[in-house]
Amino acid sequence: MYTTVRTCFLDKHDNTIFNQKMQLTYPSHHSWTKDISAGIEIDFSGRAAKKIHHSLPRLEEAGVTYRIEPLTEHFFNDFLPLYTNQIGAKDNALLHDVVEKTLHNKSHDFPYYSFSLWEHGEFIGGTIFSLRTDKVSYAFRVFVTDWNQSNLKASPALIGEYVIAEFATKEGKKFLSHGKDRNPYGINAAIGLATFKLSVGCKATVATGSETRTIDTTTIDTDCLILEQPTEGDVITNARLVTSRDTYEKYIQVTKYPNLLSVEVLFRD
């Protein structure tokens, strides 16, 4: 038996709906975009903004450095080992030939840049992105989960997000595109990836070329986040977190951004 909890009321004992079966319709792929035309900090969650403001003045003393520069072959010497190790270790991993899809891609004329982050001289993450007419568009990104030595409150990925957004505004760009993901999370990517994108103010839309699929929730045997097919337009406003009672707290943060994505919880037990 499944229990659905509407996350606007987090007390599951006071607001439960029992379901034997639920059919969910969802897009196979979706894109994430953040509007930075009115400022880069507006859509950061309060929690993320506080971590950033606490950490930025402390980067130098923590031995953290970064740089943004045109993409070169040299960047991949550092990026590829971390990308292959982290992405390749995930369930249902999809590894891309990132060099051919970016630096060696001759099908377009927009420039690619790299962001690299270092802690005491050790590469701990980076992003490959392109400059488009009105936006910065992420192609590939990978970061270690936490600092190796520092106790900065903002994660490496969060520092990267802020610095690239700042760069984008200086270049006169209005949007920051976080690329395209496969749906659902938990099966094709970590649920934490969606949480991070929501925390920095991204909104999800149905990706061009996406297929509409349906899933019976009684067949789901793993924790996952399903972004649902919108009834009108392409902006995704609703999602379903399918989890167990034991692991619910692990993913609760994804329910904290109802202005960007309304998430209801469906317990599998």
Side-chain angles (χ1 to χ4, degrees):
M1 180 171 289
Y2 283 66
T3 305
T4 299
V5 178
R6 299 187 182 278
T7 56
C8 53
F9 299 98
L10 292 181
D11 186 347
K12 57 180 176 288
H13 301 293
D14 293 338
N15 187 45
T16 58
I17 303 172
F18 296 93
N19 299 277
Q20 292 289 346
K21 184 176 182 179
M22 183 180 297
Q23 294 286 339
L24 296 180
T25 302
Y26 66 96
S28 61
H29 297 77
H30 54 277
S31 302
W32 294 94
T33 305
K34 177 179 179 178
D35 187 340
I36 56 174
S37 60
I40 63 176
E41 296 185 34
I42 291 177
D43 286 327
F44 276 110
S45 70
R47 184 180 181 186
K50 288 180 181 178
K51 289 181 178 180
I52 291 169
H53 283 293
H54 179 272
S55 302
L56 286 177
R58 296 170 171 79
L59 294 182
E60 184 176 355
E61 64 181 273
V64 175
T65 58
Y66 59 82
R67 60 176 177 262
I68 292 177
E69 56 192 354
L71 184 62
T72 65
E73 295 277 0
H74 179 72
F75 173 79
F76 292 103
N77 294 335
D78 299 306
F79 183 84
L80 284 179
L82 184 59
Y83 171 80
T84 302
N85 181 60
Q86 284 205 6
I87 305 302
K90 298 180 183 299
D91 294 336
N92 201 18
L94 180 61
L95 286 170
H96 296 272
D97 188 337
V98 297
V99 182
E100 291 300 317
K101 289 196 171 186
T102 56
L103 187 63
H104 295 169
N105 191 341
K106 305 302 181 184
S107 64
H108 53 69
D109 58 1
F110 48 76
Y112 278 101
Y113 283 75
S114 64
F115 167 81
S116 53
L117 188 65
W118 306 78
E119 182 184 12
H120 295 293
E122 180 181 354
F123 182 82
I124 57 171
T127 303
I128 302 170
F129 62 89
S130 60
L131 289 184
R132 309 293 182 93
T133 302
D134 63 348
K135 67 182 178 181
V136 158
S137 181
Y138 286 16
F140 299 97
R141 62 187 291 277
V142 64
F143 291 90
V144 298
T145 303
D146 204 354
W147 308 99
N148 295 323
Q149 303 176 48
S150 310
N151 59 356
L152 298 172
K153 292 186 177 181
S155 67
L158 193 54
I159 291 296
E161 179 70 16
Y162 183 89
V163 172
I164 294 174
E166 189 176 51
F167 174 81
T169 59
K170 290 180 180 178
E171 292 292 320
K173 308 306 178 185
K174 298 180 179 179
F175 301 96
L176 191 62
S177 171
H178 261 266
K180 182 169 67 174
D181 289 342
R182 293 182 291 165
N183 196 16
Y185 293 94
I187 296 175
N188 296 307
I191 295 174
L193 178 60
T195 304
F196 175 80
K197 294 183 179 184
L198 290 168
S199 75
V200 299
C202 292
K203 295 181 180 180
T205 57
V206 178
T208 302
S210 174
E211 299 176 359
T212 301
R213 297 176 178 174
T214 301
I215 190 169
D216 177 354
T217 57
T218 61
T219 67
I220 299 174
D221 58 5
T222 188
D223 296 335
C224 66
L225 175 70
I226 306 169
L227 276 63
E228 298 181 47
Q229 184 77 26
T231 55
E232 295 182 359
D234 61 356
V235 178
I236 300 173
T237 57
N238 296 296
R240 193 78 54 157
L241 175 63
V242 182
T243 183
S244 70
R245 297 179 189 276
D246 290 339
T247 56
Y248 168 59
E249 293 295 330
K250 179 180 179 181
Y251 309 113
I252 192 173
Q253 193 60 34
V254 79
T255 70
K256 303 296 187 179
Y257 313 99
N259 59 315
L260 299 172
L261 187 69
S262 177
V263 180
E264 290 190 357
V265 179
L266 177 64
F267 288 112
R268 293 186 284 109
D269 51 3

